[in-house]
Amino acid sequence: MPGLNDTVRYWDYLGAYTPRRAEYLAAVDRVFSSGRLVLGREVAEFEKGVAAYCGAAFAVGVNSGTDAILLALKALGIGAGDEVITVSNTAVPTVAAIRASGATPVFVDVEEDTYLMDVSRVEAAVTPRTRCLLPVHLCGQMADMAPLQEIARRRGGRVIEDCAQAMGAAYGGGRAGSFGDVGAFSFYPTKILGAFGDAGAMTTSDPDLAARLRRLRFYGIAEGYHAEEEGFNSRLDEVQAAILNLKLPGIEAAASARRDIARIYDEGLAGVGDIARPAVRPGRRHQYYLYTVRTQHRDRLMEFLDKEGIETKINYPHPVHLMRGYSGLGYREGDLPVTERLARSILSLPIYPELPTRHAERVVETVRRFFRGGR
């Protein structure tokens, strides 16, 4: 069993924190010394930076990616009696936010090679109650937005992008968060742009929608202390905004480092066993939030890697539509065969900007050894 110092970590924020520790602590002290701890200069600056980076006119900071989806739904008037088409191959928060709005999630299956919404199945899922399409830009790659936008226009629906895993991902000439009515982002610590706690934001180019999103995050208050509508307490914290302001300028360099690691995996795992590497569609830029492979030997490979001191993760071992907490939606095993098949075969390898090249190469060598008979 390799020692602790030999472990290839699945994710480790200390590699990013330690070299800039003094800067982060100075940013926190700046907030504490400012006299303004909530919705101050740091949040305003971060919102401008996010909007500019994503190619949207406005950004509104909130306390999590889950609330970003929830407030987007509320701002668009979507709630009880409405249906939202999305996927089950996603993190629970996507679906939790839809349910919290009062709406009903309607699941469509995904593409087996990209793990993204299979847009060819969306039209058949639309009913008179459909009010919104909610694609999830998973693992760092955007869903096929052009046909989704066309369906929404033709059917009179809205589009919310779940961008939690895809900040900076590109589709054609635009970035994630610039295609839908609203883009919903998470800045959870592991994300492409990660805070040191929970944080989120919404992007939009509609000024009226932006104004409503700002009200909704602050009890429905626009000014003074008079609520114009029922709202929430979902404000991005000044401390987290200050940290994110330090990290935002480096997002492209961090994404480039992720792609370098992905390239090592792509080249080193080509033709190895039955490993299926993540597919990248033409005209899209993958940010590689995750590097997720597929193999029918997933469980044994994961055990083998663990014994060799390499951490891996099954991000979605249980599709949301089959979780006990969502059994009331009425889905059964077999309803989403591709999603269910993926849950039995996907495995995410270590990938983060500070992952040493030698560690990525060790992952490749160990996977190759497994398929040569090490298992």
Side-chain angles (χ1 to χ4, degrees):
M1 177 71 69
L4 180 62
N5 292 336
D6 298 323
T7 298
V8 177
R9 300 293 302 275
Y10 178 75
W11 175 75
D12 185 358
Y13 80 92
L14 290 174
Y17 171 73
T18 303
R20 303 186 70 185
R21 179 176 180 272
E23 293 179 76
Y24 290 127
L25 295 180
V28 172
D29 183 67
R30 184 174 67 246
V31 172
F32 289 165
S33 301
S34 70
R36 183 67 180 268
L37 301 178
V38 178
L39 293 183
R41 183 180 66 82
E42 299 288 348
V43 168
E45 179 182 340
F46 181 63
E47 290 175 338
K48 290 179 182 177
V50 168
Y53 179 78
C54 294
F58 308 96
V60 179
V62 289
N63 71 1
S64 69
T66 310
D67 271 11
I69 298 174
L70 171 60
L71 268 63
L73 290 164
K74 289 290 189 180
L76 293 170
I78 296 166
D82 298 328
E83 293 178 348
V84 177
I85 295 177
T86 191
V87 295
S88 176
N89 184 47
T90 185
V92 172
T94 306
V95 183
I98 295 171
R99 294 299 295 139
S101 77
T104 299
V106 174
F107 298 117
V108 296
D109 220 338
V110 296
E111 300 170 337
E112 192 150 12
D113 58 347
T114 66
Y115 324 130
L116 300 167
M117 177 182 280
D118 186 342
V119 298
S120 69
R121 300 177 182 272
V122 171
E123 190 82 47
V126 175
T127 75
R129 295 173 59 193
T130 302
R131 292 284 312 284
C132 182
L133 308 181
L134 206 166
V136 179
H137 303 326
L138 203 69
C139 299
Q141 183 171 203
M142 290 182 64
D144 194 0
M145 291 304 299
L148 292 174
Q149 289 175 302
E150 192 277 329
I151 292 171
R153 282 194 296 267
R154 183 159 36 82
R155 296 285 192 149
R158 312 304 288 268
V159 178
I160 297 172
E161 301 172 68
D162 184 337
C163 306
Q165 298 187 4
M167 189 168 187
Y171 175 96
R175 285 180 175 166
S178 67
F179 288 83
D181 295 281
V182 182
F185 291 84
S186 169
F187 305 117
Y188 184 76
T190 61
K191 294 298 191 287
I192 292 169
L193 179 66
F196 291 158
D198 279 313
M202 303 161 291
T203 53
T204 184
S205 290
D206 182 331
D208 294 332
L209 191 52
R212 190 171 190 207
L213 290 169
R214 292 186 192 283
R215 287 199 306 271
L216 287 171
R217 75 170 174 189
F218 187 42
Y219 310 112
I221 295 170
E223 56 185 357
Y225 201 72
H226 184 91
E228 301 295 336
E229 58 182 312
E230 293 183 350
F232 304 84
N233 176 8
S234 184
R235 297 165 295 199
L236 174 60
D237 187 88
E238 276 284 286
V239 169
Q240 297 300 343
I243 291 166
L244 291 166
N245 279 327
L246 278 176
K247 299 180 83 171
L248 180 57
I251 190 171
E252 286 298 305
S256 179
R258 288 177 178 273
R259 281 191 288 274
D260 287 344
I261 296 164
R263 193 174 301 113
I264 292 171
Y265 289 156
D266 278 343
E267 294 173 357
L269 297 177
V272 175
D274 70 339
I275 288 284
R277 296 162 297 159
V280 183
R281 292 284 186 259
R284 303 185 209 180
R285 182 173 76 160
H286 202 312
Q287 294 289 75
Y288 289 102
Y289 169 63
L290 303 176
Y291 190 95
T292 303
V293 301
R294 289 174 286 129
T295 171
Q296 296 307 306
H297 307 286
R298 191 268 307 280
D299 292 344
R300 283 187 293 150
L301 174 59
M302 188 176 190
E303 181 181 2
F304 184 82
L305 291 170
D306 181 65
K307 288 180 179 178
E308 294 293 320
I310 297 172
E311 298 177 352
T312 59
K313 186 175 181 180
I314 305 170
N315 287 90
Y316 308 119
H318 307 288
V320 179
H321 72 287
L322 297 181
M323 292 183 181
R324 287 188 296 273
Y326 293 97
S327 59
L329 295 175
Y331 287 85
R332 299 180 182 276
E333 190 168 354
D335 286 344
L336 300 172
V338 177
T339 295
E340 294 165 25
R341 192 157 57 243
L342 288 175
R344 297 189 293 268
S345 62
I346 55 174
L347 182 66
S348 294
L349 304 180
I351 189 166
Y352 55 95
E354 298 77 29
L355 182 73
T357 297
R358 69 181 188 280
H359 283 188
E361 292 171 344
R362 180 175 152 199
V363 172
V364 168
E365 187 278 328
T366 308
V367 172
R368 294 174 71 91
R369 182 151 45 87
F370 171 83
F371 281 101
R372 284 199 304 267
R375 63 183 185 271

